[in-house]
Amino acid sequence: MFSLYRRRFLQQISSLGLALSGNALFSRFLEAQAKPSEGPARVLVDARRKISPLDRNLFGSFLEHLGRAIYEGIYDPDSKLSDAHGFRKDIVDEIRRMGVPIVRYPGGNFVSGYNWLDGVGPKDSRPVQLDKAWNSLNSNQFGTNEFMAWCRAVGTQPLMGLNLGTGTPEQAAALVEYCNVESGTQWSELRRKHGYPDPHKVKHWCLGNEMDGPWQIGHVTAKEYGLKAEDAARQMRYVDPSLQLIACGSSGPSMPTYLEWDREVLEECYDYVDGLSLHRYVGNTKEQTGEDSSKYMAINLTLEKQIAETLAVCDLVRGHKRSPKKLWLSFDEWNVWYRAGSGDAVNGHRKQAQHLLEEIYNLEDALVVGGMVNSLLRNADRVKIACLAQLINVIAPIMTNANGFFRQPIYYPYDWALQYARGSVLNLLVESPTYDVEGMGPVAYLDVAATLGDDGRTTLFLLNRDLAKPRQVEVVWQDKAPARVATASVLTGPDLKAVNGFDAPQRVAPSPLDKVSHASGRTTLELPPRSYSVVQWEA
Ligand code: AHR
């Protein structure tokens, strides 16, 4: 038993290496551990050891009025592939099949200059607006009601973004009234007049977007934003007390105001909100990884550091306020994004539906996204909403053209989370050989997360960070071994830089994970080098 706890301790240290890198004592300890080690890995699974029930909203996504996400992506009335509402049928079918639980809309940076009234009512009287965030045009032919109809068509829930840039708390409350009040008030009657007799019943709302960023329209200080968010939240709750409200936290750890922004905002609005947002985009860049793929494979651990630090601030303010309420986190933008982020890639040149932020993802990005999925799962006790940013065409797993769509490599780990992560997240013990990563100490080759469905199915999500060698894994069932393997798939390949496209849509795609042996309660796997796998067992 002692050695079990010692191993667990070592495992935690290795995954916290980044979080504690500022601590000299700990760094020395980590350095002492830093020698790459060899040998098989073990994953110890005990169904009684749970982190938390899994909120399916952990695998939401995001659609912004940006580039070809809305226009051409999901809404294209002139397309041969669209239905009577102008929705791309192939995309409706795909998102419905994936089961995306919640979709954030309409931004992003876009929302901070958006007047929701421009996007409702008769289509021929909606104005064509200049979207200053992306220097693009918005014909407003797709607005709040079209989004709600699209959500119903694909079977998802809306996560509505509010304009707290140029918008006022009064306008935010008016939108809640427009969406959620049945009838008999100015804004609910307007919705009915627009042809929507039933309220949309939107539960989750983001109080602005990245308000800490100097790039954000209406950017203010933390205190000013905190007061505005508090006022908006109060007015919105007068209209509908059942809302779940998310305040804007820091837009990333590289912000100079990181965490201090969160603290100051929460000191103003803690009592009025339920969650705090955080955002994160990573990349295999000189600054983040030295363009070293083996370091890139470990970058999901920095997400966990960000989550831990943000929660620490939430709980600090909770203490200050002597509040019984514990906030949860909304990781409402996360992804790989580092190529299509400047110049023409972010400039719409005052046209609609330009090719903006059309990042082309490769195999190594997909492995990193798999790692990020694992990190979110491990934090499912406090991260209740998370949105892969974004869904279609813009830094997206799905890319369209006039004739169809293809799936980018990052699609697969996200889709596996949607298909297989169910029930509760398990607290695993993972014993793994490590490798030394500059600035991070020893990092485990194996990164694993697991869920246990209400139907008794256990699923493991396994990242093998070893770029060169396969890794042997023994799964040790500490309480009861499952009956049989139901699914075993792997995403891997010889070329970390391989991508998909309309010409080769399946270049990077899952294949069966062959080397799985499950007999007499003993399970072993061989994970190929540079791979992300999902294995599910039936009880
Ligand atoms: O998702 C793209 C952009 O990234 C969003 O508009 C913004 O919130 C973030 O900076």
Side-chain angles (χ1 to χ4, degrees):
M1 206 55 184
F2 171 73
S3 67
L4 204 67
Y5 283 119
R6 188 173 159 275
R7 279 192 227 110
R8 174 72 175 144
F9 177 52
L10 290 176
Q11 181 213 354
Q12 281 178 348
I13 288 171
S14 93
S15 67
L16 287 174
L18 275 173
L20 299 167
S21 63
N23 177 327
L25 200 64
F26 230 90
S27 301
R28 277 204 294 281
F29 177 75
L30 290 176
E31 276 161 29
Q33 308 292 313
K35 293 189 189 64
S37 59
E38 288 306 323
R42 297 206 310 161
V43 180
L44 288 77
V45 185
D46 189 330
R48 296 162 296 187
R49 203 167 49 227
K50 297 195 171 88
I51 291 174
S52 157
L54 175 64
D55 190 325
R56 297 259 313 136
N57 289 340
L58 193 61
F59 297 114
S61 192
F62 176 30
L63 282 169
E64 176 167 5
H65 275 282
L66 161 53
R68 299 189 306 125
I70 303 291
Y71 302 112
E72 283 194 18
I74 64 168
Y75 179 78
D76 195 353
D78 296 332
S79 167
K80 60 183 183 202
L81 299 174
S82 293
D83 65 12
H85 303 287
F87 300 157
R88 279 276 298 246
K89 279 187 291 197
D90 53 342
I91 298 302
V92 166
D93 292 346
E94 180 69 356
I95 306 302
R96 177 170 273 286
R97 188 202 58 73
M98 291 166 76
V100 177
I102 193 165
V103 177
R104 184 167 175 250
Y105 169 89
N109 296 339
F110 166 83
V111 78
S112 297
Y114 178 56
N115 182 351
W116 65 267
L117 277 168
D118 293 339
V120 294
K123 287 197 173 181
D124 53 8
S125 49
R126 297 185 195 175
V128 175
Q129 212 74 38
L130 173 62
D131 156 29
K132 300 184 205 71
W134 301 106
N135 196 30
S136 298
L137 290 187
N138 178 12
S139 64
N140 277 303
Q141 294 303 290
F142 188 99
T144 302
N145 293 314
E146 287 77 24
F147 179 61
M148 299 302 162
W150 185 83
C151 286
R152 278 191 294 278
V154 305
T156 195
Q157 292 296 315
L159 168 58
M160 282 297 282
L162 287 165
N163 176 355
L164 289 193
T166 60
T168 63
E170 188 185 9
Q171 288 164 337
L175 179 56
V176 174
E177 186 182 314
Y178 183 89
C179 287
N180 285 12
V181 172
E182 188 143 353
S183 61
T185 65
Q186 178 188 359
W187 300 111
S188 61
E189 288 301 325
L190 185 64
R191 185 199 69 242
R192 292 166 72 87
K193 196 171 137 203
H194 290 161
Y196 295 85
D198 297 326
H200 299 311
K201 297 190 180 153
V202 181
K203 185 173 170 196
H204 292 100
W205 298 79
C206 299
L207 302 172
N209 177 71
E210 295 189 348
M211 296 305 299
D212 61 330
W215 61 86
Q216 198 69 211
I217 293 174
H219 164 63
V220 283
T221 64
K223 190 173 172 73
E224 285 170 306
Y225 167 70
L227 286 168
K228 192 169 179 178
E230 184 210 303
D231 188 16
R234 198 183 317 105
Q235 293 196 44
M236 291 163 71
R237 285 196 200 284
Y238 288 153
V239 178
D240 182 349
S242 72
L243 305 178
Q244 292 283 297
L245 302 178
I246 301 158
C248 271
S250 290
S251 52
S254 60
M255 297 299 294
T257 52
Y258 177 55
L259 300 180
E260 194 47 25
W261 165 275
D262 304 72
R263 188 192 63 74
E264 284 183 47
V265 165
L266 290 179
E267 294 289 1
E268 301 306 328
C269 69
Y270 190 96
D271 293 335
Y272 296 85
V273 301
D274 306 284
L276 183 72
S277 76
L278 62 170
H279 291 177
R280 187 69 180 282
Y281 294 101
V282 299
N284 195 359
T285 62
K286 275 202 181 71
E287 302 72 38
Q288 296 180 63
T289 61
E291 297 177 331
D292 172 355
S293 295
S294 59
K295 182 164 185 176
Y296 189 36
M297 289 301 113
I299 206 162
N300 65 302
L301 300 178
T302 70
L303 229 78
E304 287 177 70
K305 177 174 183 278
Q306 187 183 347
I307 291 170
E309 289 166 346
T310 307
L311 283 174
V313 174
C314 291
D315 295 342
L316 170 80
V317 179
R318 180 186 181 209
H320 285 167
K321 302 264 177 204
R322 278 98 177 142
S323 171
K325 180 172 67 179
K326 237 187 194 180
L327 295 190
W328 43 262
L329 298 183
S330 174
F331 216 130
D332 45 44
E333 290 185 32
W334 68 270
N335 202 348
V336 169
W337 175 25
Y338 67 105
R339 302 171 183 95
S342 60
D344 278 349
V346 296
N347 185 347
H349 294 290
R350 304 202 169 178
K351 294 187 186 129
Q352 184 165 281
Q354 297 302 286
H355 290 251
L356 303 187
L357 281 65
E358 299 210 358
E359 187 97 354
I360 296 300
Y361 292 105
N362 60 26
L363 172 62
E364 70 176 2
D365 300 327
L367 303 181
V368 163
V369 165
M372 290 165 109
V373 163
N374 287 8
S375 293
L376 290 172
L377 282 169
R378 282 193 288 267
N379 286 280
D381 55 335
R382 294 292 295 274
V383 183
K384 294 297 172 188
I385 296 180
C387 302
L388 176 69
Q390 298 190 10
L391 189 55
I392 313 286
N393 289 333
V394 170
I395 44 176
I398 296 170
M399 302 296 287
T400 67
N401 69 8
N403 301 314
F405 70 89
F406 76 89
R407 302 176 179 119
Q408 300 230 51
I410 63 164
Y411 171 99
Y412 295 103
Y414 176 57
D415 188 52
W416 285 346
L418 288 168
Q419 303 316 315
Y420 299 113
R422 287 281 185 284
S424 295
V425 183
L426 295 180
N427 187 3
L428 301 172
L429 299 186
V430 181
E431 303 167 2
S432 168
T434 59
Y435 65 109
D436 194 17
V437 176
E438 200 202 330
M440 296 177 76
V443 168
Y445 277 118
L446 198 65
D447 185 305
V448 196
T451 60
L452 174 64
D454 299 336
D455 54 5
R457 285 178 178 238
T458 306
T459 308
L460 294 191
F461 300 89
L462 308 108
L463 170 65
N464 178 12
R465 296 191 173 106
D466 194 328
L467 299 180
K469 284 195 275 176
R471 290 273 153 192
Q472 311 298 325
V473 183
E474 182 186 357
V475 182
V476 180
W477 305 102
Q478 292 189 290
D479 54 343
K480 189 169 167 282
R484 64 169 203 98
V485 177
T487 301
S489 299
V490 62
L491 191 66
T492 187
D495 179 6
L496 278 175
K497 308 292 178 185
V499 300
N500 293 340
F502 283 103
D503 56 333
Q506 297 279 351
R507 197 182 282 124
V508 185
S511 54
L513 179 67
D514 293 328
K515 297 188 178 163
V516 183
S517 144
H518 182 79
S520 314
R522 190 179 142 73
T523 305
T524 54
L525 318 169
E526 184 180 294
L527 302 175
R530 39 178 196 286
S531 66
Y532 186 72
S533 305
V534 61
V535 185
Q536 187 172 75
W537 289 264
E538 272 174 21

mmCIF file of all heavy atoms in Angstrom, residues 52-83:
data_model
loop_
_atom_site.group_PDB
_atom_site.id
_atom_site.type_symbol
_atom_site.label_atom_id
_atom_site.label_comp_id
_atom_site.label_asym_id
_atom_site.label_seq_id
_atom_site.Cartn_x
_atom_site.Cartn_y
_atom_site.Cartn_z
ATOM 1 N N SER A 52 -15.644 12.882 -10.069
ATOM 2 C CA SER A 52 -16.890 13.652 -10.116
ATOM 3 C C SER A 52 -17.811 13.050 -11.173
ATOM 4 O O SER A 52 -17.329 12.435 -12.126
ATOM 5 C CB SER A 52 -16.541 15.086 -10.529
ATOM 6 O OG SER A 52 -17.609 15.763 -11.085
ATOM 7 N N PRO A 53 -19.125 13.275 -11.025
ATOM 8 C CA PRO A 53 -19.989 12.988 -12.166
ATOM 9 C C PRO A 53 -19.565 13.875 -13.337
ATOM 10 O O PRO A 53 -19.096 14.994 -13.118
ATOM 11 C CB PRO A 53 -21.393 13.380 -11.677
ATOM 12 C CG PRO A 53 -21.289 13.475 -10.202
ATOM 13 C CD PRO A 53 -19.856 13.804 -9.869
ATOM 14 N N LEU A 54 -19.697 13.370 -14.533
ATOM 15 C CA LEU A 54 -19.284 14.136 -15.714
ATOM 16 C C LEU A 54 -20.449 14.977 -16.219
ATOM 17 O O LEU A 54 -21.511 14.435 -16.522
ATOM 18 C CB LEU A 54 -18.833 13.165 -16.820
ATOM 19 C CG LEU A 54 -18.487 13.792 -18.165
ATOM 20 C CD1 LEU A 54 -17.282 14.706 -18.036
ATOM 21 C CD2 LEU A 54 -18.197 12.707 -19.194
ATOM 22 N N ASP A 55 -20.237 16.292 -16.281
ATOM 23 C CA ASP A 55 -21.226 17.167 -16.914
ATOM 24 C C ASP A 55 -20.923 17.150 -18.412
ATOM 25 O O ASP A 55 -19.823 17.528 -18.829
ATOM 26 C CB ASP A 55 -21.086 18.583 -16.346
ATOM 27 C CG ASP A 55 -22.220 19.487 -16.766
ATOM 28 O OD1 ASP A 55 -22.711 19.327 -17.910
ATOM 29 O OD2 ASP A 55 -22.627 20.335 -15.970
ATOM 30 N N ARG A 56 -21.875 16.732 -19.217
ATOM 31 C CA ARG A 56 -21.627 16.601 -20.663
ATOM 32 C C ARG A 56 -21.227 17.939 -21.300
ATOM 33 O O ARG A 56 -20.612 17.964 -22.364
ATOM 34 C CB ARG A 56 -22.876 16.045 -21.360
ATOM 35 C CG ARG A 56 -23.243 14.657 -20.913
ATOM 36 C CD ARG A 56 -22.832 13.558 -21.866
ATOM 37 N NE ARG A 56 -23.157 13.802 -23.249
ATOM 38 C CZ ARG A 56 -22.317 13.566 -24.263
ATOM 39 N NH1 ARG A 56 -21.116 13.087 -24.040
ATOM 40 N NH2 ARG A 56 -22.688 13.804 -25.509
ATOM 41 N N ASN A 57 -21.588 19.047 -20.634
ATOM 42 C CA ASN A 57 -21.215 20.353 -21.182
ATOM 43 C C ASN A 57 -19.700 20.574 -21.192
ATOM 44 O O ASN A 57 -19.216 21.576 -21.703
ATOM 45 C CB ASN A 57 -21.895 21.478 -20.394
ATOM 46 C CG ASN A 57 -23.386 21.531 -20.677
ATOM 47 O OD1 ASN A 57 -23.842 21.011 -21.695
ATOM 48 N ND2 ASN A 57 -24.140 22.135 -19.785
ATOM 49 N N LEU A 58 -18.964 19.637 -20.613
ATOM 50 C CA LEU A 58 -17.505 19.711 -20.661
ATOM 51 C C LEU A 58 -17.001 19.592 -22.109
ATOM 52 O O LEU A 58 -15.872 19.954 -22.410
ATOM 53 C CB LEU A 58 -16.912 18.578 -19.818
ATOM 54 C CG LEU A 58 -15.443 18.653 -19.483
ATOM 55 C CD1 LEU A 58 -15.111 19.902 -18.677
ATOM 56 C CD2 LEU A 58 -14.993 17.418 -18.711
ATOM 57 N N PHE A 59 -17.840 19.066 -22.987
ATOM 58 C CA PHE A 59 -17.410 18.909 -24.377
ATOM 59 C C PHE A 59 -18.304 19.688 -25.330
ATOM 60 O O PHE A 59 -18.785 19.187 -26.337
ATOM 61 C CB PHE A 59 -17.292 17.426 -24.726
ATOM 62 C CG PHE A 59 -16.245 16.766 -23.882
ATOM 63 C CD1 PHE A 59 -16.575 15.798 -22.959
ATOM 64 C CD2 PHE A 59 -14.925 17.181 -23.969
ATOM 65 C CE1 PHE A 59 -15.603 15.230 -22.144
ATOM 66 C CE2 PHE A 59 -13.940 16.626 -23.147
ATOM 67 C CZ PHE A 59 -14.283 15.656 -22.238
ATOM 68 N N GLY A 60 -18.509 20.966 -24.959
ATOM 69 C CA GLY A 60 -19.231 21.881 -25.834
ATOM 70 C C GLY A 60 -18.322 22.444 -26.915
ATOM 71 O O GLY A 60 -17.136 22.094 -27.016
ATOM 72 N N SER A 61 -18.903 23.325 -27.728
ATOM 73 C CA SER A 61 -18.097 23.975 -28.766
ATOM 74 C C SER A 61 -18.558 25.420 -28.938
ATOM 75 O O SER A 61 -19.295 25.945 -28.096
ATOM 76 C CB SER A 61 -18.158 23.174 -30.065
ATOM 77 O OG SER A 61 -17.186 23.648 -30.968
ATOM 78 N N PHE A 62 -18.159 26.024 -30.030
ATOM 79 C CA PHE A 62 -18.265 27.483 -30.132
ATOM 80 C C PHE A 62 -18.446 27.862 -31.604
ATOM 81 O O PHE A 62 -17.755 27.330 -32.474
ATOM 82 C CB PHE A 62 -16.966 28.060 -29.551
ATOM 83 C CG PHE A 62 -16.772 29.544 -29.622
ATOM 84 C CD1 PHE A 62 -17.829 30.431 -29.596
ATOM 85 C CD2 PHE A 62 -15.484 30.069 -29.698
ATOM 86 C CE1 PHE A 62 -17.624 31.804 -29.642
ATOM 87 C CE2 PHE A 62 -15.258 31.432 -29.740
ATOM 88 C CZ PHE A 62 -16.339 32.292 -29.716
ATOM 89 N N LEU A 63 -19.375 28.769 -31.865
ATOM 90 C CA LEU A 63 -19.574 29.327 -33.205
ATOM 91 C C LEU A 63 -19.631 30.844 -33.087
ATOM 92 O O LEU A 63 -20.499 31.376 -32.398
ATOM 93 C CB LEU A 63 -20.911 28.843 -33.793
ATOM 94 C CG LEU A 63 -20.968 27.433 -34.365
ATOM 95 C CD1 LEU A 63 -22.416 27.046 -34.637
ATOM 96 C CD2 LEU A 63 -20.133 27.326 -35.648
ATOM 97 N N GLU A 64 -18.735 31.500 -33.784
ATOM 98 C CA GLU A 64 -18.698 32.964 -33.725
ATOM 99 C C GLU A 64 -19.046 33.517 -35.100
ATOM 100 O O GLU A 64 -18.786 32.876 -36.127
ATOM 101 C CB GLU A 64 -17.279 33.410 -33.315
ATOM 102 C CG GLU A 64 -17.088 34.915 -33.303
ATOM 103 C CD GLU A 64 -15.802 35.357 -32.599
ATOM 104 O OE1 GLU A 64 -15.005 34.485 -32.189
ATOM 105 O OE2 GLU A 64 -15.605 36.575 -32.464
ATOM 106 N N HIS A 65 -19.607 34.711 -35.124
ATOM 107 C CA HIS A 65 -19.736 35.412 -36.409
ATOM 108 C C HIS A 65 -18.341 35.835 -36.825
ATOM 109 O O HIS A 65 -17.869 36.930 -36.504
ATOM 110 C CB HIS A 65 -20.660 36.625 -36.268
ATOM 111 C CG HIS A 65 -22.100 36.276 -36.406
ATOM 112 N ND1 HIS A 65 -22.706 36.054 -37.623
ATOM 113 C CD2 HIS A 65 -23.038 36.065 -35.471
ATOM 114 C CE1 HIS A 65 -23.976 35.743 -37.434
ATOM 115 N NE2 HIS A 65 -24.214 35.740 -36.140
ATOM 116 N N LEU A 66 -17.679 34.958 -37.515
ATOM 117 C CA LEU A 66 -16.264 35.152 -37.838
ATOM 118 C C LEU A 66 -15.943 34.255 -39.032
ATOM 119 O O LEU A 66 -16.246 33.050 -39.012
ATOM 120 C CB LEU A 66 -15.427 34.776 -36.602
ATOM 121 C CG LEU A 66 -13.941 34.460 -36.719
ATOM 122 C CD1 LEU A 66 -13.169 35.552 -37.431
ATOM 123 C CD2 LEU A 66 -13.358 34.278 -35.315
ATOM 124 N N GLY A 67 -15.359 34.857 -40.071
ATOM 125 C CA GLY A 67 -14.964 34.076 -41.243
ATOM 126 C C GLY A 67 -16.137 33.279 -41.789
ATOM 127 O O GLY A 67 -17.247 33.794 -41.957
ATOM 128 N N ARG A 68 -15.892 31.981 -42.015
ATOM 129 C CA ARG A 68 -16.933 31.135 -42.611
ATOM 130 C C ARG A 68 -17.561 30.192 -41.576
ATOM 131 O O ARG A 68 -18.008 29.104 -41.928
ATOM 132 C CB ARG A 68 -16.330 30.318 -43.760
ATOM 133 C CG ARG A 68 -15.747 31.168 -44.899
ATOM 134 C CD ARG A 68 -15.379 30.303 -46.101
ATOM 135 N NE ARG A 68 -14.493 29.217 -45.734
ATOM 136 C CZ ARG A 68 -14.727 27.923 -45.976
ATOM 137 N NH1 ARG A 68 -15.835 27.549 -46.602
ATOM 138 N NH2 ARG A 68 -13.866 26.986 -45.604
ATOM 139 N N ALA A 69 -17.585 30.625 -40.314
ATOM 140 C CA ALA A 69 -18.191 29.746 -39.301
ATOM 141 C C ALA A 69 -19.704 29.701 -39.469
ATOM 142 O O ALA A 69 -20.296 28.621 -39.601
ATOM 143 C CB ALA A 69 -17.817 30.223 -37.898
ATOM 144 N N ILE A 70 -20.324 30.882 -39.472
ATOM 145 C CA ILE A 70 -21.793 30.933 -39.596
ATOM 146 C C ILE A 70 -22.159 30.921 -41.082
ATOM 147 O O ILE A 70 -22.753 29.963 -41.586
ATOM 148 C CB ILE A 70 -22.351 32.201 -38.905
ATOM 149 C CG1 ILE A 70 -21.940 32.250 -37.422
ATOM 150 C CG2 ILE A 70 -23.869 32.269 -39.096
ATOM 151 C CD1 ILE A 70 -22.565 31.228 -36.530
ATOM 152 N N TYR A 71 -21.816 32.026 -41.774
ATOM 153 C CA TYR A 71 -22.156 32.113 -43.199
ATOM 154 C C TYR A 71 -21.227 31.185 -43.990
ATOM 155 O O TYR A 71 -20.015 31.218 -43.835
ATOM 156 C CB TYR A 71 -22.031 33.567 -43.686
ATOM 157 C CG TYR A 71 -22.927 34.500 -42.876
ATOM 158 C CD1 TYR A 71 -22.395 35.459 -42.027
ATOM 159 C CD2 TYR A 71 -24.321 34.383 -42.938
ATOM 160 C CE1 TYR A 71 -23.209 36.296 -41.279
ATOM 161 C CE2 TYR A 71 -25.152 35.211 -42.192
ATOM 162 C CZ TYR A 71 -24.593 36.164 -41.368
ATOM 163 O OH TYR A 71 -25.408 36.978 -40.622
ATOM 164 N N GLU A 72 -21.839 30.339 -44.783
ATOM 165 C CA GLU A 72 -21.170 29.255 -45.540
ATOM 166 C C GLU A 72 -20.972 28.014 -44.683
ATOM 167 O O GLU A 72 -21.099 26.915 -45.164
ATOM 168 C CB GLU A 72 -19.803 29.662 -46.143
ATOM 169 C CG GLU A 72 -19.919 30.510 -47.372
ATOM 170 C CD GLU A 72 -18.609 30.625 -48.146
ATOM 171 O OE1 GLU A 72 -17.677 29.807 -47.968
ATOM 172 O OE2 GLU A 72 -18.531 31.577 -48.954
ATOM 173 N N GLY A 73 -20.648 28.183 -43.395
ATOM 174 C CA GLY A 73 -20.358 27.022 -42.546
ATOM 175 C C GLY A 73 -21.631 26.298 -42.134
ATOM 176 O O GLY A 73 -21.832 25.125 -42.483
ATOM 177 N N ILE A 74 -22.490 27.011 -41.388
ATOM 178 C CA ILE A 74 -23.730 26.342 -40.968
ATOM 179 C C ILE A 74 -24.956 26.917 -41.671
ATOM 180 O O ILE A 74 -25.998 26.273 -41.734
ATOM 181 C CB ILE A 74 -23.944 26.404 -39.434
ATOM 182 C CG1 ILE A 74 -24.130 27.838 -38.928
ATOM 183 C CG2 ILE A 74 -22.780 25.734 -38.704
ATOM 184 C CD1 ILE A 74 -24.639 27.877 -37.484
ATOM 185 N N TYR A 75 -24.822 28.138 -42.190
ATOM 186 C CA TYR A 75 -25.981 28.814 -42.811
ATOM 187 C C TYR A 75 -25.594 29.254 -44.212
ATOM 188 O O TYR A 75 -24.664 30.056 -44.377
ATOM 189 C CB TYR A 75 -26.366 30.022 -41.945
ATOM 190 C CG TYR A 75 -27.519 30.823 -42.489
ATOM 191 C CD1 TYR A 75 -28.829 30.390 -42.344
ATOM 192 C CD2 TYR A 75 -27.291 32.044 -43.136
ATOM 193 C CE1 TYR A 75 -29.897 31.138 -42.839
ATOM 194 C CE2 TYR A 75 -28.353 32.797 -43.633
ATOM 195 C CZ TYR A 75 -29.644 32.343 -43.481
ATOM 196 O OH TYR A 75 -30.695 33.077 -43.954
ATOM 197 N N ASP A 76 -26.272 28.712 -45.203
ATOM 198 C CA ASP A 76 -25.922 29.035 -46.583
ATOM 199 C C ASP A 76 -27.154 28.797 -47.454
ATOM 200 O O ASP A 76 -27.278 27.748 -48.108
ATOM 201 C CB ASP A 76 -24.757 28.140 -47.029
ATOM 202 C CG ASP A 76 -24.108 28.644 -48.305
ATOM 203 O OD1 ASP A 76 -24.646 29.594 -48.912
ATOM 204 O OD2 ASP A 76 -23.064 28.076 -48.695
ATOM 205 N N PRO A 77 -28.091 29.762 -47.445
ATOM 206 C CA PRO A 77 -29.374 29.539 -48.134
ATOM 207 C C PRO A 77 -29.229 29.218 -49.614
ATOM 208 O O PRO A 77 -30.100 28.560 -50.191
ATOM 209 C CB PRO A 77 -30.136 30.858 -47.948
ATOM 210 C CG PRO A 77 -29.360 31.661 -46.997
ATOM 211 C CD PRO A 77 -28.000 31.077 -46.829
ATOM 212 N N ASP A 78 -28.123 29.660 -50.228
ATOM 213 C CA ASP A 78 -27.959 29.416 -51.667
ATOM 214 C C ASP A 78 -27.326 28.059 -51.979
ATOM 215 O O ASP A 78 -27.180 27.693 -53.150
ATOM 216 C CB ASP A 78 -27.073 30.511 -52.292
ATOM 217 C CG ASP A 78 -27.732 31.874 -52.185
ATOM 218 O OD1 ASP A 78 -28.988 31.904 -52.146
ATOM 219 O OD2 ASP A 78 -27.007 32.879 -52.082
ATOM 220 N N SER A 79 -26.954 27.332 -50.943
ATOM 221 C CA SER A 79 -26.251 26.068 -51.185
ATOM 222 C C SER A 79 -27.219 24.946 -51.550
ATOM 223 O O SER A 79 -28.311 24.843 -50.981
ATOM 224 C CB SER A 79 -25.467 25.669 -49.932
ATOM 225 O OG SER A 79 -25.042 24.337 -50.025
ATOM 226 N N LYS A 80 -26.775 24.091 -52.462
ATOM 227 C CA LYS A 80 -27.570 22.914 -52.820
ATOM 228 C C LYS A 80 -27.684 21.962 -51.621
ATOM 229 O O LYS A 80 -28.524 21.067 -51.604
ATOM 230 C CB LYS A 80 -26.933 22.188 -54.009
ATOM 231 C CG LYS A 80 -25.512 21.712 -53.690
ATOM 232 C CD LYS A 80 -24.832 21.046 -54.871
ATOM 233 C CE LYS A 80 -23.467 20.537 -54.432
ATOM 234 N NZ LYS A 80 -22.485 20.326 -55.395
ATOM 235 N N LEU A 81 -26.818 22.142 -50.638
ATOM 236 C CA LEU A 81 -26.808 21.242 -49.485
ATOM 237 C C LEU A 81 -27.677 21.746 -48.328
ATOM 238 O O LEU A 81 -27.710 21.119 -47.264
ATOM 239 C CB LEU A 81 -25.372 21.049 -48.982
ATOM 240 C CG LEU A 81 -24.400 20.437 -49.991
ATOM 241 C CD1 LEU A 81 -22.982 20.421 -49.437
ATOM 242 C CD2 LEU A 81 -24.839 19.023 -50.372
ATOM 243 N N SER A 82 -28.352 22.885 -48.518
ATOM 244 C CA SER A 82 -29.091 23.475 -47.393
ATOM 245 C C SER A 82 -30.568 23.127 -47.405
ATOM 246 O O SER A 82 -31.149 22.800 -48.452
ATOM 247 C CB SER A 82 -28.921 24.993 -47.406
ATOM 248 O OG SER A 82 -27.581 25.311 -47.123
ATOM 249 N N ASP A 83 -31.183 23.227 -46.213
ATOM 250 C CA ASP A 83 -32.621 22.966 -46.093
ATOM 251 C C ASP A 83 -33.412 24.271 -46.258
ATOM 252 O O ASP A 83 -32.837 25.320 -46.587
ATOM 253 C CB ASP A 83 -32.919 22.270 -44.749
ATOM 254 C CG ASP A 83 -32.612 23.165 -43.549
ATOM 255 O OD1 ASP A 83 -32.394 24.391 -43.741
ATOM 256 O OD2 ASP A 83 -32.589 22.643 -42.423
#
